[in-house]
Amino acid sequence: DNQMTQSPSSLSASVGDRVTITCRASQDSSNYLNWYQQKPGKAPKLLIYDASNLETGVPSRFSGSGSGTDFTFTISSLQPEDIATYYCQQYDNLPLTFGGGTKVEIK
Amino acid sequence: EVQLLESGGGLVQPGGSLRLPCAASGFTFSSYAMSWVRQAPGKGLEWVSGISGSGSSTFYADSVKGRFTISRDNSKNTLYLQMNSLRTEDSAVYYCAKESVLIPAARQSHFGHWGQGTLVTVSS
């Protein structure tokens, strides 16, 4: 299986800060990587697909980059409504696998 | 508007069975692959199973292979997950998710729409 390792597992930042989350795949995944946001008690929401494409309607402060085994997710200016857990997910091969999640909190 | 509505969750004893339906609306159901993704309490997301738009191809995580069966009825716009030989570690919220493609994990695959989830608790 293609194991996805996210870091950090949690972070605390101030409103307006730049936040960066990394995701490392155990196998070359090209750009076959998606990012989701999950707020407490809610279903996940797609933010970024194919490593760097912003889903329609998602604020431009969210971005993604990377290819191969190393990927980065960035919030350029953290907002209070961004408090959530973020997951990466590869679809290079089955089984589809998710990273362990990064919980983002406000300092 | 795409809507996915899971049901069928509940409390079941270890070794028992449960069937989860997911009613879909707002899109051409047969044109998209569908998956089940679960989340144990306080844990991360785990893909469980996927099915192609026609229903002819099915895929499973090793953790459920041989115990769970995914299926779909395109005439009823409904996805199913039959869960047999349930274990305590199967306790989770189960989400159905619509893929962006016809076959799971095809190029440009992503889960653009999710249901609200249904809770399955396996306990004696």
Side-chain angles (χ1 to χ4, degrees):
Chain A
D1 296 1
N2 192 352
Q3 302 298 325
M4 309 302 291
T5 303
Q6 266 183 256
S7 61
S9 56
S10 65
L11 65 88
S12 181
S14 300
V15 172
D17 280 356
R18 184 181 185 88
V19 169
T20 298
I21 298 169
T22 63
C23 182
R24 175 161 289 177
S26 63
Q27 304 170 18
D28 187 334
S29 301
S30 186
N31 69 324
Y32 305 141
L33 185 106
N34 305 316
W35 289 94
Y36 300 87
Q37 175 194 64
Q38 186 180 34
K39 296 184 177 181
K42 299 296 185 181
K45 174 187 175 183
L46 177 69
L47 298 182
I48 302 286
Y49 63 94
D50 295 347
S52 61
N53 294 297
L54 192 67
E55 173 70 343
T56 302
V58 173
S60 59
R61 64 180 180 274
F62 296 102
S63 65
S65 64
S67 66
T69 60
D70 294 307
F71 302 88
T72 300
F73 172 82
T74 300
I75 307 173
S76 61
S77 177
L78 186 67
Q79 300 301 303
E81 60 267 32
D82 300 336
I83 299 313
T85 300
Y86 294 84
Y87 295 93
C88 61
Q89 175 245 322
Q90 67 81 24
Y91 68 93
D92 180 59
N93 48 42
L94 292 168
L96 303 178
T97 47
F98 291 86
T102 297
K103 186 174 183 179
V104 174
E105 298 176 321
I106 295 287
K107 190 181 294 183
Chain B
E1 179 192 4
V2 172
Q3 290 194 346
L4 300 170
L5 185 61
E6 306 96 335
S7 60
L11 176 64
V12 60
Q13 292 189 337
S17 297
L18 214 53
R19 188 194 199 201
L20 307 182
C22 170
S25 62
F27 64 101
T28 304
F29 186 63
S30 60
S31 294
Y32 296 93
M34 299 290 295
S35 279
W36 288 96
V37 176
R38 69 184 179 184
Q39 186 170 38
K43 303 297 184 182
L45 300 170
E46 179 188 16
W47 176 81
V48 172
S49 180
I51 187 168
S52 61
S54 68
S56 61
S57 299
T58 58
F59 309 90
Y60 298 93
D62 284 346
S63 58
V64 306
K65 200 171 295 183
R67 299 187 299 122
F68 289 13
T69 301
I70 190 171
S71 63
R72 64 193 296 161
D73 185 335
N74 287 345
S75 68
K76 295 182 178 179
N77 290 350
T78 303
L79 174 73
Y80 301 98
L81 186 67
Q82 177 67 44
M83 305 186 294
N84 298 331
S85 303
L86 282 161
R87 306 167 179 169
T88 55
E89 56 264 35
D90 295 319
S91 295
V93 173
Y94 284 73
Y95 296 101
C96 69
K98 171 185 171 290
E99 293 215 32
S100 55
V101 293
L102 185 60
I103 299 172
R107 295 304 164 245
Q108 300 184 329
S109 164
H110 49 265
F111 297 123
H113 297 88
W114 298 65
Q116 87 291 343
T118 187
L119 177 62
V120 173
T121 303
V122 184
S123 175
S124 55

